[in-house]
Structures are given as C-alpha cells and as structure tokens.
Amino acid sequence: MYRFLAPLARPATYSRWLHLVSPAAVASVWLFISPDTPWMPMVMAVPVGLLPAMRLAEGIQGQLLLTPWERGRPDATISVAPATTWADRWRTVLWLEVRFLLAIPAMFATVWLPATSVDLVLTAFGNGPSNDWLVRGVEPHWWYALLAPLPVLVLFGLITVGGTMAVAAAGWLLGPTATERMTVLEARTEQLLERNRIARELHDSIGHALTVAVVQAGAARAANDPAFTERALAAIEETGREALDDLERVLRVLRESGTPVGGRPTLVEADRLLDSARGSGAKVDAEVSGALDLVPAPVSREGYRILQESLTNALRHAGSVPVRVRISVVDGWLELEVVNPLTGSSSVSGGGTGLRGIRERAALLGGKAKTGPYDGEWRVHASLPLEHIR
C-alpha cells in the first residue's frame, strides 16, 4: 500500500501535474477564440517548435517541473540549450505535440474526477435521482459517499503515470545530443585531471616543506649547536614561506575557475630546491646543461615538481646522504635524474603516491619516468619531450 501512496508525498508529483496541464491552458484560450478548430494549437506548435530558443525554454521548464533534482547538473537527462541543428528543432516540435497529447487526458482527469467525487457525495445525501454527469438518474444511497475517494485516487494514479511518461519523453526528445554528451564527458575528464594535478601539487609542495622542516629540526636538536640551530630555523622559515606561496596558488585555482598556472615554479628556480636540500644536511652534487629558460613552461613546471619530489624522498628515506642531480636539455628532450645511495631505511616500494605522481606527470607530457633501485642506489630518471609542447 505504501508503494502506491508514496507518490502523494513527493513534490515532483505536483510539479509534474502542473507541467502536464499547462498546455491545456493554451488550448482553452484558443477554444474560446475559435471553438470550431480545436486542433489549431497542435498545428501552431510546428513553427513555434522550430525556433531555436523554444528548445531552451522547454528544457528549463522540464528541469524545473519534471526533474527538479537535476537542475543545474551537467549530466541532467533534460538538456538546457537552444537548438543548434534541424534535428534538434524537429525533436522540439515532436515534444510539443507529445505535451498536447498528454495534456488532454490530464486536464480531463483534473476537472472531472474531483467533480465525480463531489457528485457521489451529493447523490448519497440527495432526495431524488441525480442529474450529474456520471451518476445521472441514480437513486440516492448513503454508501455512495464511501466511493467518493476513488476518483481522487484514480486522478493521482493517472497524474503519476502521465508524469512518468512525460519524463521519459523529455529525456528522449529534449535530452542531450551525442555532441553535448561528449562535451560533458570532456568537461568531467578535465575536472578530474585538474583535481589530480592539484592533489599532486599539494603532495609535492607541502610534503617537501614538511620533510625539510622535520629533518632540519631533528638535526638542530641532535647538533646542540646554537649557530646550526639558527641556520636550521632560517631554512625552515624559508621553506615554510615557499610552501605557503605554493598553497596559495593551489587554493587560487580551487577558488577561481580558469586561473592561469603561470605563477607555478619552474626549473629555472631549481636552485632553491637544491639549497633547501643542502640546508637539510644532504650533500647535493648538481649538474645542469642546456638552456632551462628555453624549456616550454608546462615541461619546466612538471620537471620542477619531479625534482622536488625526488629530493623529498631522498631526505625522507635516506637522510643526509650524497645526492647526484643531473638536468640536461638535449635533442628535444629534458632529461632529469636524481640518484642517492640506498640505506637501511631508504627502501621504498614503487607504489607510493609520490612516485606514482612522478610517473603520471611524465606520462601526461608524453614522456616516461623510471623510479627504483639500481646498482645499490635509488634512482629517479625522467625524460620529457619538448617539441609537441611548443
């Protein structure tokens, strides 16, 4: 019983009811003007439906009244966009015709079924045969009052079925085209890629800053040297400020759609990463060859993050060990390599978030990255192409 009465408690049932009977208002006005041509509104729907803006208007109305929970969603079953092709226009025309066809029984039921309930009540307590339309000539009986709710229940049943049919027809005739679905899919893909990029940015930048701070603080406490402690605090302060700048850039992207990424650090600023690693106790031997300032910005930004994550891993897992950094621009490729000795605590699996982020960054640019142990050392090697980025 609850399953049959549940639609009565849904707001969508009543908004769909309004949507079903609204075309009847247009037909009623026309019948008042020309009662001999009741079919004329359906004929007039053809030129009106061919207007591009009509599809937009019907889509807005359909979302508001038929599927209100989908309003504003990019994957809504009813599209909110003007017609761009003749196929869309003719689908809109067919939709208007369907609306008129559904409106006829809906309006009839809305007017006459409640009237029937009233007729049954009046007949039950009347003094003679009824003159009303469905109970004409029926002798009065008190139990007719018990039948009065039935027409109302039939009304709600018809409205529920009609609303379901309207939703199905709207999804078929006003739903997004294949091109619109592809556009939505591409937008969702871009959104997911942007979220992954932001997650990598936060992981690499904030992870690096925290690693440097922890290593510096531990070294200062172990050294018990005021001068070293002062240098460590200065390094922690500088790294923290850089991390705050990176965090602000990422938050700006989250707050403002379409924010340019030109403010993100590039390999031209690699010295600050190397100095930060040296300040944390690592013995960094860096060799740079080629013009880093001529590297395309997307490649340079991703190369910076790969270098940052590689140095962070070296500090986190190996501690104060010699680290070799080789950066070269040659034959249309950016080659980046970071190598450090393996220690008892530096064995890490190849499935970590940071290492996976390195490989993802390289893959997005059409390059490749290898991470893992090699000849007693831990090596990160990334090759990023330059040509197709320009």
Side-chain angles (χ1 to χ4, degrees):
M1 178 64 69
Y2 174 77
R3 184 177 63 180
F4 296 103
L5 297 179
L8 299 180
R10 297 173 186 163
T13 299
Y14 302 95
S15 62
R16 290 175 180 178
W17 191 353
L18 176 61
H19 187 273
L20 285 171
V21 300
S22 57
V26 177
S28 300
V29 172
W30 181 259
L31 288 176
F32 180 77
I33 298 173
S34 177
D36 296 332
T37 56
W39 41 264
M40 186 56 69
M42 297 187 69
V43 175
M44 295 173 60
V46 176
V48 172
L50 292 176
L51 298 174
M54 180 55 62
R55 185 174 182 84
L56 173 62
E58 289 296 316
I60 294 174
Q61 185 181 164
Q63 277 199 8
L64 288 174
L65 299 179
L66 295 178
T67 57
W69 59 88
E70 291 186 350
R71 185 171 51 187
R73 285 175 48 180
D75 57 345
T77 55
I78 300 177
S79 177
V80 179
T84 56
T85 64
W86 279 102
D88 288 344
R89 297 183 184 187
W90 285 113
R91 289 167 68 199
T92 306
V93 171
L94 184 55
W95 162 249
L96 293 178
E97 302 294 348
V98 170
R99 285 199 66 184
F100 276 115
L101 292 176
L102 291 175
I104 294 172
M107 193 64 183
F108 182 85
T110 299
V111 173
W112 293 110
L113 288 178
T116 301
S117 294
V118 175
D119 290 347
L120 288 170
V121 173
L122 294 178
T123 302
F125 300 100
N127 296 321
S130 172
N131 292 322
D132 295 314
W133 72 285
L134 278 183
V135 289
R136 184 182 301 274
V138 175
E139 293 294 335
H141 291 286
W142 65 268
W143 52 268
Y144 284 169
L146 301 178
L147 301 178
L150 291 182
V152 177
L153 293 177
V154 172
L155 170 63
F156 278 104
L158 291 175
I159 293 301
T160 301
V161 173
T164 302
M165 294 175 62
V167 171
W172 177 43
L173 298 172
L174 296 181
T177 62
T179 301
E180 291 171 337
R181 290 192 184 96
M182 183 61 67
T183 301
V184 171
L185 181 60
E186 289 176 352
R188 292 181 63 184
T189 302
E190 289 294 329
Q191 186 181 42
L192 290 175
L193 289 175
E194 182 67 10
R195 288 180 178 178
N196 287 335
R197 187 188 67 78
I198 290 173
R200 288 196 301 269
E201 292 288 317
L202 288 174
H203 175 275
D204 295 349
S205 177
I206 306 303
H208 175 77
L210 291 176
T211 298
V212 170
V214 170
V215 172
Q216 290 279 12
R221 184 177 61 180
N224 197 22
D225 182 355
F228 183 86
T229 300
E230 184 176 354
R231 291 195 302 272
L233 290 175
I236 292 173
E237 180 182 11
E238 181 181 358
T239 304
R241 285 175 177 164
E242 293 172 355
L244 287 175
D245 292 340
D246 288 341
L247 180 60
E248 179 61 29
R249 279 190 288 265
V250 173
L251 293 179
R252 194 181 306 123
V253 171
L254 291 174
R255 288 193 298 262
E256 303 174 12
S257 176
T259 300
V261 295
R264 291 163 52 197
T266 65
L267 279 176
V268 177
E269 307 170 64
D271 285 344
R272 76 177 191 177
L273 288 178
L274 302 176
D275 292 340
S276 177
R278 292 188 181 104
S280 299
K283 303 173 181 62
V284 180
D285 175 22
E287 179 182 325
V288 179
S289 60
L292 292 181
D293 55 334
L294 298 181
V295 175
V299 179
S300 190
R301 288 192 292 264
E302 299 304 323
Y304 180 94
R305 292 306 187 194
I306 291 174
L307 175 60
Q308 184 179 54
E309 177 62 22
S310 301
L311 292 174
T312 300
N313 284 337
L315 290 171
R316 181 183 300 155
H317 299 290
S320 301
V321 297
V323 180
R324 298 197 309 275
V325 176
R326 301 290 182 265
I327 306 174
S328 63
V329 181
V330 59
D331 297 332
W333 288 82
L334 171 66
E335 302 287 344
L336 192 153
E337 185 177 70
V338 179
V339 180
N340 62 269
L342 282 173
T343 64
S345 61
S346 64
S347 178
V348 295
S349 65
T353 303
L355 299 180
R356 184 170 62 250
I358 289 175
R359 293 189 288 268
E360 288 176 354
R361 289 179 186 277
L364 286 174
L365 294 173
K368 56 184 178 180
K370 296 181 180 180
T371 61
Y374 182 79
D375 287 342
E377 297 177 318
W378 184 268
R379 184 175 68 170
V380 175
H381 185 92
S383 299
L384 309 179
L386 309 181
E387 289 298 327
H388 72 288
I389 300 297
R390 294 185 185 279

